[in-house]
Amino acid sequence: MRGAFTYLRRLLLASIACVLGAAALVYVVDPLQLFRSSPRAFYSDDTRVQNAGLIRSQSFDTAFMGTSLAIHFRQSDIDRVLGVHSLKLAMTGSNSRQQSFVLEQAIDRGARRVIWEMDDFVFVDAADIEADPYLPVDLYRRTAKGIASYLFSAAMAKESAFTLVRSIPPLREPLSRAAPYLPVKFALADVDDIYALPQDYDVARDYNANKALASFAYITAPSRSRFLGEGYGYMAMVRHFEQDAFGLAARHPDVTFDIYFPPYSILQFVAMRDASPETLKIVTDLTAHIAQRLTQLPNVRLHDFRAIKAVTHDLSNYGDVIHHSPVVDAKVLQWLASGEYRVDARNPTASLDDLKAQVEAYRVPQ
Amino acid sequence: MLFNSYPFILLFLPAVLAGYFWLGKRGNLAPVIWLALASLTFYAVGSWQFVALLLLSIAFNYGIGHLLIVAKLGPSQRRAALALGVTGDLVVLGIFKYAGFVTENINVLAGTHFAVHILLPVGISFYTFTQIAFLVDAYRGQVAAYALPHYALFVTYFPHLIAGPILHHKDMIPQFERNETKLPDARLILCGVIIFAIGLFKKTCLADGIQPLVTLAFEARSPSFDQAWLGALAYTFQLYFDFSGYSDMAIGISLMFGIFLPVNFNSPYKATSIVDFWRRWHMTLSQFLRDYLYIPLGGNRRGRVLRYVNLMITMLLGGLWHGAAWTFVVWGALHGAYLCVNHAFNALVPNIPTAFAIPGRIAGTVLTFLAVVVAWVFFRAASVESALRVLHAMFDPSNIVFGREETAALVLVALYAGLVWLVPNTQTIMGYDHGGRRVGEAFLAGRMRPLVLYGASLALAFGILGIQSHSEFIYFRF
């Protein structure tokens, strides 16, 4: 009996030692660069977590925000075309609560300009940021709970151990090369590669008219068309816009906001027109409201790329009905730089009216 | 409350253990009541709105059981009492679990628009099944009269309450009645902690670790061949480590109280046939379905054809037990068909020559595993249509992506396959013998002791470090 108690005590003490050892390892290696920046750090595509460290460790004057529509931009391209020192913080599938929260952190750390790719669906009703299980707000705020969740984490301990092994000179090169093919998260050597298409990516294979039309057929099938309007409610979306987007821009008059509506393919709106007209009405009413409100703010420049026919009607630019190829990313940066499609405060719905006419007239290729 | 949560591990469990053994020095009944109250608290923390339903269910079944065991009823009255009890249980289960599903199907068939929104009480399938077994056994005259606190504890016992294993009154209540279980047994507590540590590691590190890969197949609009296979395999391993991890934790926690729970998994993916698989997967459910459904239907006693019919009925209902959706019906039907084919094969094909025994077993294992993976696609998919899309991709090798993400996924899936096929299971490592009430004898006396001890401390440490705020058990809502 006494022996078993001794073993039990040993087991529990050894477990405590392991937990503390793992926490010490995470603190020393600091894979997120939450405590100190490191020129030899590696990065993760898990942007909801990675952003907390990027905001702490990178120097920047411009924050870039968006959803998967903006995911394949490269920081270096943004810097080159717009003449800024940017930090890309776009998060796939993010909502306006998450985006606004992360942007606020970036502004607090020195961002003087925000470039914001704004989808209508980011304003759908979702959990409040304090109750959001997917964005570690305490980690961003560096509260005791946030720091503890970082240090006492098996996932971070695993990443730290891998980073440590990778720092051994003979292993550094082969493990760095192999990292993207291994089940580790911190595998990217260059901050530019965070959630961007690999340089050798076969764009034509994944962005072409066949894929866009197949996606259109999929989402408009009678059995799935109800998903087109899932979560869309005009009043709730306006409320979230006012709180998260308008509120953020109004709170920071010294920060310049370049906000743009991305160039979805025309099929996105035609799908709503054909399968869920009530959703199309919500979207157009909401973006009219957004345009009217944002153009009132002197620190906001609103750009609308949704009615640029040469891009949105050329289905070879798309992988589905909304996601465009990197070729379009480059154009978006050019348009932002030139201000060519900036919404005029005197006529804020002009481009929306264009878009409505295009949607009305468009016939899907058979 | 979740087993894989800090409040449970650091507060609830130590407090309940301390109270149980402190009261155990003072008598036999007080610890039982304490544990039953702790179990209700455990349940109420996450599902307070269903506590009344749980208590009503206990009172109803205990009352019917009392009629069957103590009251001097005639045969027809006994039959009526049993029918009332089982019907009552099934009606409640049916309303909470299947009303929405039935209404949806009526709407489709009749073009109506009725809407039923009923929240599913956590654990209702588990506590209903345990009590149906109690009533049937009481009717068969196989139950002694039990005190209400012991019966209530048998139903609510928190290690099993919300996700099993499914308990049997004949196994559990005598253990609750024993005086010895009320005093701390260092060896059982040590073994319980080790088994709990292994289960926690399986859940938080292994199951949650591979979960992101599941989206490759099930949340992609049109997965490629490799993505579909990797996603399906990831789910196959996630489900196993999630549920067997939960069962290990339940067994480990219970062992700390001196109570042996039945084993629920025995390396199911090492099965050499579907019949073998069902002897190794969710074993307590298989036993329940066999004893209280398949055998009462006639089992294999009424000829070969009816045996196959009974198998199909049993597996279809087993599928529906897992969830009120056509995907579960298809999953059950597939396993029913697999079992029929397996039995037909055994009946028609002569014994395999010894020289082919090992290749035959390997082929059987591979074929069984593939059949199980195909069935899991229906189990996991949101709809039959979605499952068919994944399956279509799994059988279309012309569409392969195999980029960086898929390569990394393949490495992880291969690691899990190695764990599943090459590493001994928890009960083997710990020498856990539920029937013989033995555990840990070999390892405590043998050379493996330091390895198991320090391996367990690592598993416990990483299990605790792996706890995430949003990680439920897959079997929670069954």
Side-chain angles (χ1 to χ4, degrees):
Chain A
M1 177 72 92
R2 177 166 291 179
F5 270 126
T6 306
Y7 298 145
L8 182 61
R9 199 164 46 243
R10 269 188 210 161
L11 189 157
L12 295 177
L13 286 174
S15 294
I16 292 168
C18 287
V19 167
L20 294 176
L25 176 69
V26 174
Y27 179 77
V28 170
V29 174
D30 193 12
L32 264 182
Q33 301 183 77
L34 209 60
F35 303 117
R36 63 196 85 85
S37 31
S38 161
R40 288 195 301 277
F42 279 70
Y43 302 91
S44 160
D45 269 341
D46 185 355
T47 49
R48 279 175 179 71
V49 174
Q50 178 64 85
N51 286 346
L54 290 178
I55 290 171
R56 291 271 154 195
S57 61
Q58 305 292 308
S59 64
F60 56 92
D61 58 30
T62 298
F64 185 97
M65 178 50 77
T67 60
S68 56
L69 268 295
I71 215 78
H72 296 307
F73 282 99
R74 288 182 170 272
Q75 262 178 215
S76 54
D77 293 333
I78 299 169
D79 293 357
R80 182 173 42 78
V81 179
L82 298 180
V84 295
H85 190 183
S86 67
L87 179 64
K88 194 182 92 176
L89 299 166
M91 299 175 287
T92 187
S94 52
N95 60 48
S96 61
R97 266 74 74 220
Q98 296 171 336
Q99 295 181 351
S100 168
F101 174 81
V102 173
L103 280 174
E104 188 109 51
Q105 307 297 312
I107 291 168
D108 289 348
R109 294 288 294 178
R112 301 273 59 87
R113 185 174 174 185
V114 167
I115 302 167
W116 196 343
E117 174 267 312
M118 192 169 280
D119 298 294
D120 49 68
F121 54 78
V122 301
F123 298 111
V124 295
D125 217 3
D128 184 71
I129 194 70
E130 303 299 333
D132 190 323
Y134 302 106
L135 191 81
V137 291
D138 285 304
L139 192 63
Y140 284 84
R141 290 176 179 144
R142 285 163 60 100
T143 62
K145 188 180 167 197
I147 300 292
S149 71
Y150 175 51
L151 294 179
F152 295 97
S153 154
M156 286 299 167
K158 183 190 81 174
E159 298 298 334
S160 302
F162 184 77
T163 303
L164 205 62
V165 174
R166 187 169 45 195
S167 68
I168 298 167
L171 299 176
R172 182 175 172 81
E173 200 48 41
L175 281 182
S176 297
R177 267 204 312 275
Y181 303 96
L182 298 173
V184 288
K185 280 193 168 184
F186 288 75
L188 307 169
D190 189 342
V191 76
D192 218 28
D193 290 333
I194 298 174
Y195 223 146
L197 285 179
Q199 302 281 15
D200 57 351
Y201 193 80
D202 182 358
V203 172
R205 178 197 159 109
D206 275 338
Y207 297 94
N208 56 62
N210 285 342
K211 284 209 144 194
L213 285 167
S215 175
F216 175 81
Y218 182 86
I219 62 171
T220 52
S223 60
R224 290 184 215 93
S225 58
R226 66 194 157 97
F227 295 120
L228 277 171
E230 198 166 39
Y232 280 71
Y234 180 72
M235 292 312 293
M237 294 175 92
V238 166
R239 192 173 67 248
H240 285 304
F241 161 73
E242 292 291 334
Q243 284 170 2
D244 303 329
F246 189 87
L248 183 73
R251 274 199 305 281
H252 297 281
D254 53 332
V255 176
T256 304
F257 285 78
D258 273 301
I259 298 175
Y260 72 89
F261 296 133
Y264 300 137
S265 85
I266 189 71
L267 293 178
Q268 163 73 354
F269 300 103
V270 172
M272 292 180 188
R273 179 197 74 187
D274 292 352
S276 183
E278 62 282 7
T279 309
L280 181 61
K281 174 148 179 34
I282 291 172
V283 167
T284 51
D285 288 354
L286 175 71
T287 54
H289 176 86
I290 292 173
Q292 280 153 356
R293 292 285 285 157
L294 287 182
T295 47
Q296 289 170 13
L297 292 172
N299 60 325
V300 174
R301 296 189 292 240
L302 181 65
H303 310 257
D304 191 346
F305 305 141
R306 294 172 305 174
I308 307 172
K309 269 180 102 168
V311 170
T312 61
H313 286 52
D314 180 356
L315 301 183
S316 63
N317 283 321
Y318 294 89
D320 52 36
V321 296
I322 57 171
H323 291 93
H324 53 253
S325 77
V327 177
V328 180
D329 287 345
K331 289 181 179 169
V332 166
L333 292 178
Q334 293 293 346
W335 296 330
L336 284 171
S338 67
E340 189 183 349
Y341 295 100
R342 187 170 165 188
V343 175
D344 186 347
R346 288 164 300 180
N347 189 6
T349 58
S351 58
L352 179 63
D353 295 336
D354 269 0
L355 175 67
K356 283 180 179 173
Q358 289 174 16
V359 173
E360 191 67 32
Y362 191 82
R363 295 293 165 265
V364 180
Q366 298 299 317
Chain B
M1 199 181 293
L2 295 170
F3 292 164
N4 56 323
S5 68
Y6 295 114
F8 177 82
I9 294 169
L10 301 176
L11 290 175
F12 183 84
L13 184 58
V16 177
L17 274 169
Y20 180 74
F21 291 128
W22 184 77
L23 289 169
K25 289 179 192 161
R26 281 151 186 80
N28 190 308
L29 189 60
V32 171
I33 295 171
W34 165 259
L35 209 45
L37 289 174
S39 298
L40 283 174
T41 308
F42 175 86
Y43 189 76
V45 167
S47 314
W48 58 269
Q49 65 273 51
F50 299 122
V51 171
L53 179 71
L54 174 64
L55 291 174
L56 273 173
S57 174
I58 291 169
F60 173 74
N61 283 286
Y62 186 76
I64 300 284
H66 189 78
L67 285 178
L68 292 168
I69 300 163
V70 178
K72 308 243 180 291
L73 302 178
S76 61
Q77 289 170 314
R78 287 175 62 76
R79 260 199 306 278
L82 174 68
L84 175 68
V86 174
T87 308
D89 282 335
L90 292 180
V91 164
V92 172
L93 187 65
I95 289 172
F96 280 99
K97 196 159 179 172
Y98 301 105
F101 179 58
V102 171
T103 310
E104 264 178 42
N105 286 294
I106 289 173
N107 284 342
V108 169
L109 290 173
T112 50
H113 298 282
F114 298 113
V116 175
H117 299 290
I118 301 176
L119 223 54
L120 181 66
V122 172
I124 189 169
S125 306
F126 290 94
Y127 67 69
T128 303
F129 271 30
T130 51
Q131 295 189 99
I132 288 175
F134 166 75
L135 293 183
V136 172
D137 287 354
Y139 174 78
R140 289 171 179 167
Q142 296 169 350
V143 184
Y146 296 140
L148 181 60
H150 295 81
Y151 179 79
L153 177 58
F154 154 65
V155 179
T156 60
Y157 189 43
F158 76 87
H160 98 105
L161 176 60
I162 49 182
I166 295 171
L167 303 184
H168 200 276
H169 58 94
K170 268 194 279 193
D171 180 31
M172 297 306 297
I173 293 180
Q175 293 195 72
F176 293 140
E177 288 171 338
R178 287 177 62 226
N179 287 327
E180 293 82 351
T181 59
K182 313 299 186 309
L183 300 171
D185 182 323
R187 192 171 55 83
L188 295 186
I189 294 174
L190 172 67
C191 292
V193 170
I194 295 174
I195 294 173
F196 177 79
I198 296 171
L200 185 65
F201 181 81
K202 280 182 178 176
K203 165 63 189 162
T204 64
C205 292
L206 297 181
D208 291 351
I210 202 167
Q211 187 270 335
L213 302 192
V214 176
T215 57
L216 278 174
F218 294 98
E219 281 172 33
R221 197 165 279 173
S222 50
S224 61
F225 173 77
D226 48 336
Q227 287 168 343
W229 270 105
L230 288 166
L233 287 170
Y235 180 67
T236 299
F237 294 132
Q238 185 206 358
L239 185 64
Y240 168 64
F241 283 115
D242 189 274
F243 195 19
S244 80
Y246 184 92
S247 296
D248 284 351
M249 280 190 272
I251 289 168
I253 292 164
S254 186
L255 208 52
M256 295 179 212
F257 292 96
I259 308 287
F260 283 74
L261 290 189
V263 172
N264 217 17
F265 289 89
N266 183 20
S267 301
Y269 295 147
K270 291 178 186 169
T272 54
S273 68
I274 286 290
V275 172
D276 189 24
F277 174 79
W278 279 104
R279 288 183 187 135
R280 292 163 171 264
W281 178 275
H282 205 344
M283 294 150 74
T284 56
L285 176 68
S286 305
Q287 283 153 17
F288 179 90
L289 292 175
R290 183 196 63 199
D291 294 344
Y292 299 99
L293 189 56
Y294 177 67
I295 289 175
L297 281 170
N300 56 3
R301 302 186 307 275
R302 295 181 184 164
R304 199 167 285 172
V305 174
L306 276 179
R307 173 197 213 174
Y308 297 143
V309 171
N310 292 338
L311 274 174
M312 285 303 294
I313 292 171
T314 304
M315 295 314 292
L316 280 170
L317 291 174
L320 264 179
W321 176 82
H322 282 88
W326 285 108
T327 47
F328 292 109
V329 176
V330 175
W331 175 79
L334 267 179
H335 271 282
Y338 291 162
L339 284 169
C340 291
V341 170
N342 197 163
H343 283 292
F345 180 85
N346 289 346
L348 295 172
V349 177
N351 285 340
I352 297 171
T354 318
F356 296 108
I358 291 175
R361 286 170 67 83
I362 292 170
T365 304
V366 172
L367 193 61
T368 302
F369 182 71
L370 292 177
V372 168
V373 172
V374 167
W376 285 145
V377 171
F378 286 96
F379 199 82
R380 169 62 175 77
S383 63
V384 173
E385 187 192 21
S386 159
L388 290 173
R389 199 167 54 249
V390 174
L391 283 174
H392 182 263
M394 286 167 73
F395 291 94
D396 177 17
S398 64
N399 179 18
I400 296 178
V401 173
F402 216 66
R404 290 197 294 192
E405 196 183 352
E406 290 73 25
T407 313
L410 181 64
V411 173
L412 201 58
V413 165
L415 270 173
Y416 277 68
L419 283 174
V420 160
W421 280 299
L422 303 177
V423 176
N425 61 33
T426 312
Q427 55 268 31
T428 307
I429 295 169
M430 293 305 297
Y432 184 82
D433 177 5
H434 162 245
R437 306 279 189 255
R438 284 193 299 271
V439 62
E441 288 168 5
F443 106 81
L444 277 170
R447 282 184 303 165
M448 296 290 283
R449 191 179 61 221
L451 188 68
V452 174
L453 217 55
Y454 292 111
S457 67
L458 264 180
L460 184 59
F462 275 87
I464 289 173
L465 288 169
I467 289 173
Q468 297 168 20
S469 56
H470 52 279
S471 163
E472 274 198 354
F473 293 100
I474 297 175
Y475 265 63
F476 236 40
R477 297 273 161 193
F478 292 170

